Structures are given as structure tokens and as C-alpha cells.
Amino acid sequence: MDGVMNCKMTNIYKERLLDGKKYEKFVCKALKNKMNLSIDIFENVQDQYNIGESQQGFEIKYDKLHKKTKNIYIEVSEKTNKNNLNYINSGIYRNDNSWILLIGNYDVIYFFGINTLKLLFETDRFKKITTETSKGFLLTTEDIEKYNINKIIIK
């Protein structure tokens, strides 16, 4: 199990975690309704850290700012609290069973291959973002359309 479990979480981190859980449920329902695809989300925290987010290897992320910015933020590492010394691998670099990233908002869900996203990150072609609690990179609208392998339009 990685260091996330042993750190104090800030209220903002907890709020984002709850937003993410709500979005997971939304995505699972959308996949079932639009594609007849069922995802088994691990509810047990131990399983999520030791195996992955879902039995099928789908990682689900809510990008709250996508609707406003039209960019997608791909996370590569995080801290649960800005006072933690080190970032730990997260998002596309978590060591788990994930091979597909489902990311978006309540209007659209994009599908990306995690190995493709890792290759994109390593090219240094994309804008890198570092905050007090997260590191990642941005995909522009053009990049999103170029590299997504599927999408579901909700609205």
C-alpha cells in the first residue's frame, strides 16, 4: 500500500475524493446505459490501493474544470496534503491494474489508453502543471480529439 493511506488528508482533498466517487457512479451508470458495459468498482479502500479502482482496469477521473477550460488535466503524482514532503505516483502512474482512463465531466466522458498517456507525458510536448498537491499535464481540445479512443456524449 502506498503512502496516501498514512497521511492526513486536507478537507479539500476529502471534498475532491467525494466529487470523484460521485462521478464514478455517474460514469458507471452512463456506461451501462449507453454501451451495456458494467464496471465493478472496488468499494474497499484496500482493494483500490492494492489492485486498482475497478476489476476491469478502468480508472475514472472527474475533471471539474474541463467544461470551462476545454482542456483535460492528466495527473501523474499527488500529495494528500501540501505539507507532505513527497509527491507519490498517482493517476496514470499508479502501480495497479489500470489500462484505460475514463475522464471528463457530466457532459462528456473520454476514453484514453494509459500507456498512450504515459508516452505523451514523456515527450515533453505538453504543458506541465505543478500545484501544491498535484503534478500532471494538459491536453488541449485538439489533443483530446486526436488521442481519445472513444467518447460518450451525455448532453
Side-chain angles (χ1 to χ4, degrees):
M1 189 176 341
D2 64 32
V4 172
M5 297 291 294
N6 300 320
C7 300
K8 282 188 175 179
M9 292 185 207
T10 64
N11 287 337
I12 292 171
Y13 187 89
K14 289 177 189 175
E15 182 181 312
R16 289 182 182 153
L17 202 55
L18 289 174
D19 286 346
K21 289 290 176 198
K22 182 179 170 189
Y23 186 67
E24 275 179 9
K25 289 178 180 164
F26 170 81
V27 168
C28 288
K29 186 176 178 183
L31 290 177
K32 183 66 176 164
N33 291 340
K34 301 269 186 181
M35 301 176 78
N36 199 28
L37 178 64
S38 293
I39 297 179
D40 300 316
I41 298 292
F42 290 120
E43 297 299 327
N44 180 309
V45 174
Q46 297 287 94
D47 288 342
Q48 285 207 353
Y49 284 103
N50 293 325
I51 300 169
E53 191 162 290
S54 72
Q55 184 68 42
Q56 295 80 5
F58 287 37
E59 175 77 13
I60 301 170
K61 294 287 185 186
Y62 176 45
D63 190 324
K64 196 173 191 174
L65 295 176
H66 173 65
K67 191 171 186 173
K68 179 180 175 183
T69 67
K70 307 299 182 217
N71 297 322
I72 290 282
Y73 176 71
I74 307 295
E75 186 177 81
V76 300
S77 61
E78 71 176 340
K79 295 181 189 182
T80 54
N81 185 314
K82 69 179 182 179
N83 296 319
N84 295 348
L85 281 179
N86 300 311
Y87 290 88
I88 61 164
N89 286 346
S90 64
I92 63 172
Y93 280 101
R94 276 202 42 210
N95 186 21
D96 63 14
N97 72 342
S98 298
W99 62 281
I100 290 283
L101 175 66
L102 304 175
I103 188 168
N105 57 45
Y106 290 95
D107 295 335
V108 62
I109 304 164
Y110 296 100
F111 295 59
F112 291 96
I114 287 181
N115 285 337
T116 299
L117 292 171
K118 287 177 181 178
L119 289 171
L120 295 177
F121 177 69
E122 291 163 11
T123 67
D124 286 331
R125 210 185 100 217
F126 300 91
K127 182 177 181 180
K128 303 268 181 10
I129 304 290
T130 299
T131 71
E132 292 179 322
T133 58
S134 179
K135 290 184 180 183
F137 68 102
L138 288 181
L139 294 176
T140 64
T141 303
E142 181 180 306
D143 297 322
I144 294 165
E145 292 305 320
K146 184 175 182 179
Y147 296 110
N148 85 80
I149 55 178
N150 199 2
K151 68 181 169 186
I152 297 174
I153 309 275
I154 306 297
K155 295 182 181 177

